Amino acid sequence: MSPESKFQKRTTKHRYYLWVCSVDGASTHITILMHQPHQAQAMIKDVTAFTLNETVITAMDFVRGRVGQSDFDELDCVWLGTSGRKLIIYGGTNPEQEKQIAQTNVPETPTQILFHVACDSVFVALANGDILLYRKEQESWNLKHHQLIKLDHTPITSVLAINMNVYAASGRKIFVLNGLTGDVQRSFEIQHVSSDVNLMAHAGVGLWISLKSSSVICLYHTETFKHLQDINIAPHILRVTSSNNAPSNNSSPSVYVTALMACKGLLWVGTNVGITLTVPLPRLEGVPIISGN
């Protein structure tokens, strides 16, 4: 069994919690780990683990703030979306209690959940191309009321907070939403390739995009949407795999991007063959040199 895993970090004072969500196709196993970096011997330890039988988690995010009339001490929550078209909210303040706070139905399967910290809003992207926007009412999240934002008819594969906006990818289109009102401000379509957008990452005024079932990542300008460059990571990955274990039949595995994140001067690219590539984040005037593997 090769479970699909999702990770979500939440923090309290001097404590960091990591929620690891593994899906086997029918049920979900959640493991919660804790890291206390300020101790003399900082280490990660298990806090708790539990299983959601016959429930497949499709999206998750850490959200600050109470939900409805939940206990006052539950100021942090983790929102989980399921393939059964539900939102399940767990308490994050004391995760070892495995406390489910609330549950609500949504029109379609959530594909992404984004807590926009600066706008204090939650965007729940759905498989039908819609987005549900949740806001606080009297310092609590009201799950009974949301704003429906209709974008397209294809699943939303990625949502990304950039300044006061939210970038949402659906099919070959990327929509720019106002993080406060939810209004669609702009949109553009990927023109130079025929593949759909899969993932997005942001650094400076650069928007990195990975394509569905593809080894190509594309760089766009976040404001002008000008296409700046493409990088094919397959040759670098195959160089490693062929040197480690050359297939006897001389066939090469198909490489495509499965994870994308920009962090501290590097673009991290995860792949389906179990190898992560790091790319120095480029200046928009030049082409970055790929280094490391």
Side-chain angles (χ1 to χ4, degrees):
M1 178 177 66
S2 299
E4 175 186 352
S5 296
K6 297 179 182 296
F7 302 86
Q8 184 55 49
K9 184 180 75 173
R10 52 88 51 202
T11 64
T12 59
K13 186 177 181 181
H14 307 307
R15 290 185 297 176
Y16 295 77
Y17 288 104
L18 178 68
W19 291 55
V20 182
C21 173
S22 301
V23 179
D24 63 7
S27 298
T28 298
H29 186 75
I30 294 177
T31 303
I32 302 176
L33 309 173
M34 182 178 68
H35 180 219
Q36 293 180 290
H38 300 293
Q39 290 185 340
Q41 292 183 337
M43 59 185 299
I44 295 177
K45 66 177 184 179
D46 291 338
V47 174
T48 187
F50 57 96
T51 298
L52 300 177
N53 293 316
E54 298 181 357
T55 300
V56 175
I57 301 300
T58 57
M60 64 191 302
D61 200 8
F62 162 66
V63 178
R64 286 201 176 278
R66 291 183 296 146
V67 173
Q69 301 300 317
S70 60
D71 294 344
F72 183 77
D73 61 345
E74 290 293 349
L75 297 178
D76 297 334
C77 300
V78 174
W79 291 33
L80 309 173
T82 78
S83 61
R85 302 181 180 184
K86 294 183 181 294
L87 279 179
I88 303 175
I89 315 298
Y90 274 85
T93 304
N94 298 295
E96 61 274 3
Q97 297 179 359
E98 304 172 18
K99 184 177 181 181
Q100 181 177 320
I101 294 175
Q103 180 175 299
T104 187
N105 295 324
V106 291
E108 251 294 352
T109 299
T111 57
Q112 298 284 322
I113 299 175
L114 172 67
F115 172 45
H116 197 308
V117 179
C119 297
D120 209 14
S121 53
V122 178
F123 292 78
V124 178
L126 304 179
N128 63 356
D130 294 344
I131 289 182
L132 307 180
L133 171 55
Y134 292 87
R135 299 185 180 89
K136 284 183 179 178
E137 293 182 5
Q138 298 179 349
E139 300 304 318
S140 296
W141 297 102
N142 188 346
L143 298 182
K144 296 181 179 179
H145 296 94
H146 60 259
Q147 177 182 344
L148 176 63
I149 306 170
K150 302 189 75 66
L151 297 183
D152 211 336
H153 302 293
T154 54
I156 296 175
T157 56
S158 182
V159 286
L160 187 66
I162 301 180
N163 302 321
M164 299 299 288
N165 295 323
V166 170
Y167 285 56
S170 176
R172 295 175 59 189
K173 294 181 180 178
I174 294 179
F175 298 84
V176 182
L177 313 179
N178 184 298
L180 293 173
T181 66
D183 295 336
V184 178
Q185 297 181 328
R186 296 175 291 167
S187 67
F188 75 102
E189 185 172 349
I190 304 300
Q191 298 286 354
H192 74 291
V193 291
S194 58
S195 300
D196 290 346
V197 178
N198 186 32
L199 302 168
M200 297 185 295
H202 164 245
V205 293
L207 179 68
W208 284 101
I209 296 171
S210 71
L211 305 175
K212 187 176 181 179
S213 301
S214 172
S215 60
V216 175
I217 53 177
C218 315
L219 179 61
Y220 281 81
H221 196 286
T222 57
E223 298 173 359
T224 65
F225 300 138
K226 180 182 178 181
H227 174 238
L228 301 173
Q229 68 175 134
D230 293 335
I231 295 178
N232 187 354
I233 65 166
H236 308 278
I237 298 297
L238 293 176
R239 188 181 307 126
V240 175
T241 57
S242 61
S243 62
N244 291 342
N245 285 306
S248 57
N249 59 359
N250 294 323
S251 63
S252 298
S254 176
V255 177
Y256 54 87
V257 177
T258 57
L260 194 66
M261 181 180 69
C263 181
K264 295 185 178 181
L266 291 175
L267 182 70
W268 293 75
V269 186
T271 68
N272 62 311
V273 295
I275 294 178
T276 300
L277 184 78
T278 57
V279 183
L281 288 177
R283 296 185 300 271
L284 296 184
E285 299 80 16
V287 177
I289 300 175
I290 296 177
S291 62
N293 54 21

